[in-house]
Amino acid sequence: MLYPIAISTGDEEHAWGVEVPDIPGCYSAGDDLDDAMAMAREAIEGHFEILAEDGAPIPSAQKVTVHAANPQYAGCTWAVVDIDVTKYLGKAQKLNITLPGYLLNRIDEYVLHHPEEKSRSGFLASAALKVLQQAR
């Protein structure tokens, strides 16, 4: 899932600040822009590990456009961090499902051209997660 991060410019005396708007309380910083983005990934993953341990839901990510319109983030540089949230959803379980051949072929074709999905199972997990997060 692509999580937008709002980056505040640093200088010789101050680090570059990072806030993850979709994850309340998730902040980080870095010595430069590259370091700030790398530290944001660590902050998000650490936050998700704690949520998983507590059995709390993983927050969904909104589009950068939604957050960029918020005056609170005026002047920020935006980036996105790709986080595989499936590893924070619990142990994988095997199941047997039946799908129409046409649908299965479309899923396989999509996965072939979108390596971020990694597999047919990854695609199905991502699709289910999106629907469930919208249902909240």
Side-chain angles (χ1 to χ4, degrees):
M1 191 172 295
L2 297 175
Y3 284 88
I5 58 172
I7 306 167
S8 302
T9 307
D11 57 33
E12 292 84 31
E13 297 178 22
H14 302 92
W16 290 62
V18 177
E19 182 175 349
V20 187
D22 292 313
I23 308 171
C26 189
Y27 303 93
S28 189
D31 294 332
D32 56 28
L33 183 58
D34 293 317
D35 190 40
M37 289 190 296
M39 296 305 291
R41 172 178 297 284
E42 286 186 27
I44 294 168
E45 290 176 342
H47 207 91
F48 285 177
E49 286 173 11
I50 292 168
L51 290 175
E53 287 171 7
D54 293 343
I58 300 299
S60 59
Q62 297 184 60
K63 293 186 176 207
V64 172
T65 307
V66 171
H67 297 300
N70 184 338
Q72 175 183 344
Y73 301 111
C76 287
T77 299
W78 290 94
V80 292
V81 179
D82 190 9
I83 303 292
D84 178 8
V85 297
T86 58
K87 62 184 176 183
Y88 304 105
L89 300 176
K91 184 178 177 185
Q93 296 181 7
K94 204 172 224 182
L95 75 145
N96 186 10
I97 62 170
T98 303
L99 295 173
Y102 175 75
L103 182 58
L104 196 55
N105 289 336
R106 296 228 19 228
I107 291 169
D108 289 344
E109 186 67 23
Y110 186 89
V111 169
L112 180 66
H113 293 92
H114 294 87
E116 70 275 9
E117 297 296 349
K118 297 183 180 73
S119 67
R120 185 186 289 161
S121 294
F123 171 85
L124 293 173
S126 294
L129 191 58
K130 286 176 189 172
V131 169
L132 294 172
Q133 287 177 331
Q134 291 171 355
R136 284 187 192 170

